[in-house]
Amino acid sequence: AEGIIETFNLAAEPMFQVTAEQVTGEPIQRLLPELSTDQGKTGKSIPGGLPRQDFPPSGARREDGTTFPVEFSAGRMNVCGESLLAWVIKDISTRVRVEQQAEETRERLIHADKMASLGSLVAGIAHEINTPLGTSVTAASHLREHSAALRRSYQQGGLKRSQLEDYLDQAAEAGRILETNLRRACELIRSFKQIAVDRSSSEQRRFKLREYLEEVLLSLHPRLKKTGHRVEVLCDPALAISSYPGALSQVLTNLIINSLLHGYAPGTSGTLCIQVEQQGHWVNICYTDDGRGIPRAHLHRVFEPFFTTRRGQGGSGLGLHIVYNLVTQALSGRIDCRNPEQGARFDISIPDLSAGPET
């Protein structure tokens, strides 16, 4: 119980690169330096009078000074009337290495998924901007041709009143078309710029939630327009919160894309709804669609990495896993998935970071 090694079996010798004779009578800290025999010191304490205690993965030390991860547990036992602690130690280097490789792979795939999402956003916005800009070019060209014709008539002295009136009407209409379409292009660019900056940044800022939700939907308009889906946003226009808009944008984008991919049969459309309420310093976001819903057998697995029902059809199984990580980690919130009478429902709660601690 004082942490002195009494016996050391043959399996332990190659693990720690020492013989039993070398460590018998030595303190256990020679092998497990993180342990402490004094409860007041830092480090994990030897379990003392506890009948059994498991420890999380920790670092062990070999004779040459190198360290490696281990799992160990200790239990009290009596040998010939003497109270001893029996230690079971397992080298988990291989498991830790595999887990690290898996985590690195997962992070790379998540990053690739985010970049693919951003790439899709760029392509959609570029296509959407092409329409108002193309219309503006046509209106400007039409106005230039009429202006040239009017100048020729003026220079030749044959300018008529009706010709001038027609030109003024054409100029006013062209100006209206130019203003409307260029304003539309500006809105798209501003929305795209803000969404793109937010997605590539992890900074916290204060923003009006409904206005930001509409910007996110504007960036998704090219994709939604092809499907005929309608999106409703129920949120107080005056509601402003402090949070991480980039993470929130990615969450809503992934939920909407998930509905489009899994919620509806090809050629069908429905209604997606984002309802927002504030309760104290928490903001509750309820996202629903009226599609085919999620099978009950899958509800407990939808947030697992690589879980997808569209394997081989473009599904990576990371969309909702990213959503879960963003909500619970980046946004410090919580998320739950359920099946209403029709469709799917995701309940998200995130803190308003400007509202202070919860009471």
Side-chain angles (χ1 to χ4, degrees):
E2 288 74 29
I4 303 301
I5 300 173
E6 296 280 347
T7 62
F8 197 73
N9 73 350
L10 291 176
E13 292 184 349
M15 182 186 299
F16 290 97
Q17 297 178 350
V18 293
T19 64
E21 290 78 9
Q22 288 176 293
V23 295
T24 299
E26 293 288 320
I28 189 68
Q29 287 85 353
R30 175 172 174 174
L31 307 178
L32 303 172
E34 292 186 18
L35 287 175
S36 169
T37 55
D38 186 349
Q39 296 284 348
K41 295 180 180 178
T42 58
K44 303 176 181 67
S45 297
I46 292 177
L50 296 178
R52 179 177 178 83
Q53 182 168 340
D54 294 323
F55 292 79
S58 179
R61 184 169 58 196
R62 299 185 183 94
E63 188 66 12
D64 62 4
T66 59
T67 60
F68 60 100
V70 294
E71 274 184 349
F72 53 90
S73 61
R76 181 172 292 279
M77 60 186 297
N78 287 312
V79 179
C80 299
E82 184 180 5
S83 179
L84 300 175
L85 292 175
W87 294 76
V88 178
I89 304 174
K90 181 180 180 182
D91 184 350
I92 58 171
S93 300
T94 300
R95 191 185 80 190
V96 169
R97 183 169 60 253
V98 171
E99 289 175 349
Q100 289 174 342
Q101 292 173 346
E103 179 64 20
E104 290 172 0
T105 301
R106 187 183 70 87
E107 290 296 330
R108 286 197 296 270
L109 289 172
I110 288 175
H111 180 71
D113 191 87
K114 287 182 179 180
M115 291 300 100
S117 176
L118 190 58
S120 177
L121 172 65
V122 172
I125 290 293
H127 176 77
E128 194 74 4
I129 289 176
N130 186 59
T131 300
L133 289 184
T135 303
S136 298
V137 169
T138 301
S141 176
H142 182 72
L143 181 60
R144 181 179 59 79
E145 292 174 0
H146 273 67
S147 298
L150 185 70
R151 178 181 290 276
R152 286 194 298 271
S153 296
Y154 172 74
Q155 291 174 342
Q156 296 169 2
L159 181 61
K160 299 179 181 179
R161 180 184 181 89
S162 60
Q163 189 177 2
L164 179 60
E165 290 176 347
D166 179 63
Y167 171 79
L168 293 174
D169 290 340
Q170 293 286 341
E173 179 64 14
R176 185 190 66 78
I177 292 173
L178 282 168
E179 182 181 9
T180 300
N181 284 275
L182 290 177
R183 181 179 290 114
R184 169 66 175 167
C186 285
E187 290 175 354
L188 288 168
I189 292 171
R190 179 183 62 81
S191 172
F192 165 69
K193 180 180 178 182
Q194 185 62 66
I195 297 298
V197 168
D198 283 337
R199 286 196 187 176
S200 62
S201 171
S202 58
E203 292 185 359
Q204 173 190 337
R205 67 179 177 88
R206 188 168 179 80
F207 56 96
K208 287 190 174 181
L209 190 51
R210 182 186 177 92
E211 182 179 307
Y212 191 74
L213 294 177
E214 290 173 347
E215 288 182 354
V216 173
L217 293 176
L218 186 61
S219 70
L220 291 169
H221 179 68
R223 188 154 187 173
L224 290 168
K225 184 172 62 175
K226 294 179 183 178
T227 62
H229 288 78
R230 187 167 61 93
V231 183
E232 296 179 350
V233 178
L234 306 176
C235 177
D236 183 357
L239 176 58
I241 67 171
S242 286
S243 188
Y244 297 90
L248 182 59
S249 165
Q250 187 71 49
V251 166
L252 293 172
T253 297
N254 283 20
L255 288 177
I256 290 172
I257 297 302
N258 189 71
S259 291
L260 300 186
L261 289 176
H262 302 283
Y264 300 90
T268 63
S269 60
T271 300
L272 317 177
C273 181
I274 304 171
Q275 185 173 359
V276 182
E277 294 181 350
Q278 186 171 27
Q279 294 182 342
H281 89 301
W282 286 95
V283 176
N284 299 322
I285 303 173
C286 177
Y287 173 84
T288 59
D289 67 41
D290 57 358
R292 66 184 79 183
I294 302 172
R296 291 192 178 277
H298 295 166
L299 278 177
H300 70 289
R301 300 191 62 194
V302 293
F303 297 124
E304 292 180 7
F306 310 116
F307 174 76
T308 178
T309 58
R310 291 174 60 89
R311 187 75 63 195
Q313 304 176 50
S316 67
L318 287 171
L320 291 181
H321 177 63
I322 292 174
V323 166
Y324 181 83
N325 282 346
L326 288 171
V327 171
T328 59
Q329 298 178 26
L331 297 171
S332 301
R334 49 185 180 261
I335 182 170
D336 182 45
C337 175
R338 66 182 72 179
N339 268 343
E341 293 183 1
Q342 182 179 6
R345 170 172 172 168
F346 293 86
D347 291 304
I348 301 170
S349 295
I350 62 173
D352 177 5
L353 300 177
S354 65
E358 183 180 12
T359 57

